[in-house]
């Protein structure tokens, strides 16, 4: 789907930040665009934000960082953007109301279905004949990291498919549609006993940083800023740490 079409769809399914505003023109709804790998942690943070701000509704839109950054630049009705790498956030700079701030880091691991049908014992098993693995498209941060790690480790086997985001990769693995997949450590934590996890050599050399910033099109900059502050706070750090994210 082209970016313009994505914005049109987003405009239909996500309420404008102005909806439900008070008599002074404020808003009781904010929309947060967040990388797919933030699904579990940002859902919890949104719940906490709503509990601390009675009457406020946080709408969450999760997708590939590249897709969300383009939506932000195209003026999608949203208040906050959080991406899975700094390069993607930089591509949305024209839509940022403030300089982005890094709130977490992540590394990549290899996961297999719980029963590990291919009998993998480590990353090197991806070269075995008949083994299928999946990764993200190279326009997504998770795809860039997977490609870098494949090069770092001299992997010659090609992925069976390239998925739009890391949650799609995880879904392929947990549904037994692939023998293995490149996902973030946080996704492996979220999957729990549905997957078996293996370290990837040199993963520590390919750490990805997560920045966040309010957007210029926000109709309630105060609420947007408060959500950003929550993510950056000690409370936010605890939620992110429990999900497997590293410190900025």
């Amino acid at each position: 789907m082209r970016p313009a079409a994505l914005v049109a769809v987003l405009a239909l399914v996500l309420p404008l930040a102005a909806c439900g505003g008070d008599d002074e023109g404020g808003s009781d709804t904010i929309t947060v665009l967040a990388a797919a790998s933030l699904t579990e942690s940002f859902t919890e943070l949104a719940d906490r934000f709503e509990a601390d701000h009675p009457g406020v509704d946080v709408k969450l839109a999760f997708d590939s960082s590249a897709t969300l950054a383009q939506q932000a630049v195209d003026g999608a009705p949203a208040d906050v953007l959080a991406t899975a790498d700094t390069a993607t956030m930089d591509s949305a700079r024209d839509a940022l109301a403030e300089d982005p701030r890094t709130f977490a880091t992540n590394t990549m691991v290899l996961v297999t279905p719980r029963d590990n049908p291919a009998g993998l014992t480590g990353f090197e098993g991806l070269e075995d004949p008949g083994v299928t693995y999946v990764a993200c498209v190279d326009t997504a941060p998770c795809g860039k990291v997977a490609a870098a790690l494949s090069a770092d480790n001299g992997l010659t086997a090609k992925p069976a498919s390239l998925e739009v985001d890391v949650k799609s990769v995880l879904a392929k693995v947990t549904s037994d549609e692939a023998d293995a997949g490149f996902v973030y450590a946080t996704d492996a934590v979220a999957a729990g006993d549905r997957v078996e996890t293996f370290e990837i050599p040199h993963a520590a050399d390919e750490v990805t940083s997560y920045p966040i910033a309010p957007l210029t099109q926000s109709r309630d900059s105060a609420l947007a800023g408060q959500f950003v502050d929550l993510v950056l706070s000690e409370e936010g750090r605890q939620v992110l740490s429990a999900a497997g994210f590293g410190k900025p």
Side-chain angles (χ1 to χ4, degrees), residues 43-138:
T43 297
E44 181 172 347
L45 288 170
D47 289 343
R48 294 189 181 206
F49 190 84
E50 290 176 345
D52 291 338
H53 297 76
V56 173
D57 187 20
V58 180
K59 299 296 185 182
L60 299 169
F62 298 108
D63 209 322
S64 164
S65 293
T67 297
L68 296 175
Q70 186 61 57
Q71 289 175 348
V73 171
D74 288 343
D79 301 270
V80 175
L81 174 66
T83 63
D85 73 343
T86 55
T88 305
M89 181 64 80
D90 288 343
S91 73
R93 187 161 292 277
D94 289 347
L96 306 184
E98 299 176 5
D99 288 339
R101 288 179 282 177
T102 300
F103 63 91
T105 54
N106 216 343
T107 53
M108 191 151 277
V109 297
L110 188 73
V111 293
T112 70
R114 178 174 53 188
D115 58 355
N116 193 1
L120 292 176
T121 58
F123 181 82
E124 65 281 356
L126 295 182
E127 295 282 17
D128 293 346
V131 170
T132 61
Y133 76 91
V134 290
C136 293
V137 293
D138 58 11

Side-chain angles (χ1 to χ4, degrees), residues 1-17 19 31-34 59-64 67-81 215 217:
M1 187 179 292
R2 290 190 290 270
L6 284 165
V7 171
V9 171
L10 192 61
L12 290 173
V13 298
L14 297 178
L16 287 170
C19 292
T31 298
V32 178
L33 308 180
K59 299 296 185 182
L60 299 169
F62 298 108
D63 209 322
S64 164
T67 297
L68 296 175
Q70 186 61 57
Q71 289 175 348
V73 171
D74 288 343
D79 301 270
V80 175
L81 174 66
L215 296 171
Q217 58 260 47

